[in-house]
Amino acid sequence: MASSLLISTFHVRLSFMPDFHLEPNQILAITLFAGIVLFETVLPFRGSHHRLRHVGKNGIFTAFNSVILAGFGATLNLWVFLWIHENEIGLLNQIERPFWVATILASVLFDAWIYWWHRLNHVVPFFWRFHQVHHSDMEMDFSTALRFHPGEMLLSSLANIAVFAFLGITIELIVIYKIVFNFNVLWHHSNVALPEKWDQMLRGVLVSPNMHRVHHSMKVRETNSNYSSVLSVWDRLFGSYRKSDPDKIVFGLDYDRSSEDQKFGRLMARPFTSNKRPERNAK
Ligand SMILES: [Zn+2]
Ligand SMILES: [Zn+2]
């Protein structure tokens, strides 16, 4: 396919580092990431935020997940994509369609799936055991987007693979969505002070920072709302959209707030210890 050919063959060689090159999607990712970090620095939403300590702590999750899961996940995904492609598995492989139509269909359908998967993580007590680690963050910035228990990463990878096979999604069809997804998830977790008017315009289409801040509220009815990741339409369509004054939101859970509860080891063990108030997320 043209898109994968472009990404695999075209690269930028930096003249001062002859053996080092970056793929265009990597350059785009680094530029967008740097843009978010710069925005947080220049115009922070919460100035009281302990940035270095917070990013350092959530960075441990990223490092841990990368070491444990990244290689395994990438290999498994690649194998599944190849299997889907070679055997023409799934819905999208059963219909004659131009490549761009399949790309849009795959992206929209997969985004709807991500919405329901996220909602299931709140409703099913077993999934909540893992997902609560993401919600236990009492501050929010781009690094909150990286704070996930490896158990949740593993469960969502396996669930996503089943959906890829069911829908017939291959890497060529999902690569653009993945870039948009990663950027938007970093962006809507970030500590940026986007004027409310702009945020409102943005969340007409995409999940904005103020929209996702409500999802990280300590109030249960707010935690259990705004599940979308990229397109905001799913919350409106399925009745889970909620607005709140972002300045009044207290981030985190109504438990696990002590410094002892927030230690990395405790958070890693969290899914296997008592399920504090699982009923809070079965409403
Ligand atoms: Zn959530
Ligand atoms: Zn979040």
Side-chain angles (χ1 to χ4, degrees):
M1 295 289 186
S3 60
S4 64
L5 202 67
L6 181 77
I7 286 162
S8 61
T9 56
F10 180 81
H11 62 262
V12 174
R13 196 170 286 278
L14 301 179
S15 57
F16 57 91
M17 291 178 79
D19 290 300
F20 183 76
H21 70 267
L22 290 169
E23 306 283 350
N25 56 342
Q26 290 171 321
I27 294 171
L28 182 67
I30 292 167
T31 309
L32 292 173
F33 176 70
I36 291 173
V37 174
L38 188 69
F39 198 162
E40 279 191 340
T41 312
V42 178
L43 275 173
F45 170 68
R46 294 228 166 131
S48 56
H49 170 62
H50 301 97
R51 195 179 195 189
L52 274 181
R53 199 178 63 193
H54 184 247
V55 172
K57 194 166 160 192
N58 285 343
I60 303 173
F61 280 92
T62 320
F64 197 84
N65 286 335
S66 304
V67 171
I68 302 287
L69 288 172
F72 168 74
T75 311
L76 190 66
N77 265 312
L78 217 61
W79 181 83
V80 170
F81 283 138
L82 206 67
W83 173 70
I84 292 169
H85 179 71
E86 283 180 353
N87 298 287
E88 299 192 339
I89 304 282
L91 290 177
L92 290 170
N93 283 310
Q94 310 311 313
I95 47 170
E96 278 295 317
R97 69 313 186 255
F99 177 73
W100 65 270
V101 172
T103 302
I104 293 171
L105 271 176
S107 303
V108 172
L109 289 172
F110 194 70
D111 198 48
W113 153 250
I114 293 289
Y115 166 89
W116 281 107
W117 171 247
H118 188 184
R119 198 162 168 168
L120 277 175
N121 272 271
H122 282 245
V123 173
V124 178
F126 175 72
F127 292 155
W128 175 252
R129 281 179 173 267
F130 298 92
H131 189 58
Q132 65 186 327
V133 173
H134 177 63
H135 280 272
S136 65
D137 205 347
M138 296 191 295
E139 293 179 298
M140 273 186 87
D141 63 23
F142 76 89
S143 72
T144 307
L146 310 170
R147 177 184 168 122
F148 284 99
H149 193 280
E152 179 175 352
M153 304 288 283
L154 185 66
L155 287 168
S156 63
S157 291
L158 295 174
N160 287 349
I161 281 170
V163 174
F164 287 145
F166 177 72
L167 293 175
I169 294 176
T170 53
I171 193 150
E172 291 92 346
L173 297 181
I174 206 71
V175 66
I176 295 170
Y177 175 81
K178 282 279 186 185
I179 294 168
V180 174
F181 174 89
N182 287 333
F183 171 71
N184 209 56
V185 168
L186 283 170
W187 165 246
H188 67 228
H189 282 98
S190 67
N191 185 37
V192 294
L194 192 67
E196 169 55 17
K197 208 175 152 187
W198 292 14
D199 193 284
Q200 192 180 358
M201 279 198 312
L202 183 65
R203 67 178 181 260
V205 183
L206 299 171
V207 177
S208 65
N210 277 351
M211 182 174 167
H212 198 68
R213 278 169 192 146
V214 179
H215 184 70
H216 279 265
S217 162
M218 198 172 81
K219 292 179 184 166
V220 178
R221 67 173 190 282
E222 291 181 350
T223 318
N224 292 343
S225 72
N226 297 1
Y227 299 107
S228 303
S229 289
V230 178
L231 297 172
S232 61
V233 68
W234 310 119
D235 280 298
R236 293 189 176 88
L237 199 62
F238 300 118
S240 51
Y241 180 73
R242 195 176 282 276
K243 264 182 77 176
S244 186
D245 181 351
D247 293 322
K248 292 183 180 154
I249 294 173
V250 179
F251 297 135
L253 298 165
D254 52 0
Y255 56 89
D256 283 356
R257 301 189 72 83
S258 73
S259 55
E260 199 58 35
D261 290 331
Q262 290 288 322
K263 284 187 174 157
F264 180 72
R266 278 286 272 270
L267 291 168
M268 290 304 280
R270 195 67 193 83
F272 315 106
T273 55
S274 67
N275 205 3
K276 286 186 195 169
R277 293 170 227 175
E279 74 286 354
R280 79 193 288 285
N281 281 352
K283 285 171 191 165

